[in-house]
Structures are given as structure tokens and as C-alpha cells.
Amino acid sequence: MFPHEVKKSEMLNSEKRALRAKAEQKKKMAHKKFLSGDLRGALDDLKEARLYIQKALRLVRSLGERGSAERTIQDDIENLWRRILNNNSSRV
């Protein structure tokens, strides 16, 4: 690998980790809001988490990786999203 390719790869990996961390943090905040009853706030945080994890998955594809950690976070986000929607519909 050429030095400029290595540097670019390291930069993309760093960005991917940062996006994954942001998504994980937003997911945790959404879960806390869900438990406290703030469903609108939880959905807003999950929307942001979705955007972060989608960007991270695009980087994973560009790096040619599998992205299992990112997919796990994405699954967690979607599961919490469904729980919130189910909880919200049962209240109506």
C-alpha cells in the first residue's frame, strides 16, 4: 500500500469510529428519554443516531469491511425505534 493510501485509510477509520461513538451515545440518550417517558425526544435522538450510523456504514463499505459493530448498533437503534412506536400506539 502506498503511504497516501495508508493515511487515507487511517483517516477514514478514525472518522468511522467517531461516527459510531456518536451514534452509540445518541442511542443511549434516546433509551434514557424513552424510560423517562419523553418519546418525542427519544425519537429525535434516534433520528440523529440513524444518520451517524448510516454515515459510518458508508465508510465501512468504502473501506471494504464487514461492519458488524455498526450493524449491531443499527439493529439496536431500529429495535428501540419499534419499541417507542409500539408504546406510543398503545397509548392512543
Side-chain angles (χ1 to χ4, degrees):
M1 220 183 230
F2 296 108
H4 68 280
E5 290 175 349
V6 171
K7 185 172 181 153
K8 182 179 179 181
S9 177
E10 289 174 354
M11 199 170 64
L12 291 175
N13 271 321
S14 174
E15 186 178 351
K16 177 186 70 169
R17 281 191 302 273
L19 287 167
R20 190 171 59 215
K22 286 179 183 179
E24 187 71 36
Q25 185 63 31
K26 283 292 184 179
K27 182 186 72 151
K28 287 179 183 177
M29 289 171 54
H31 190 258
K32 286 180 184 178
K33 288 179 181 180
F34 170 66
L35 293 176
S36 70
D38 181 10
L39 300 181
R40 177 85 316 224
L43 287 175
D44 289 342
D45 282 344
L46 285 177
K47 285 178 188 177
E48 286 184 57
R50 274 180 165 173
L51 291 175
Y52 290 138
I53 207 64
Q54 287 170 355
K55 288 179 184 178
L57 283 167
R58 278 194 290 276
L59 288 175
V60 164
R61 282 191 293 275
S62 73
L63 291 167
E65 298 174 348
R66 291 179 56 201
S68 58
E70 289 80 10
R71 294 190 195 292
T72 300
I73 294 170
Q74 186 180 37
D75 290 345
D76 293 344
I77 290 168
E78 297 306 320
N79 286 336
L80 183 54
W81 185 276
R82 281 190 295 276
R83 283 176 55 196
I84 291 170
L85 292 181
N86 287 340
N87 190 328
N88 204 14
S89 66
S90 67
R91 287 184 177 184
V92 175

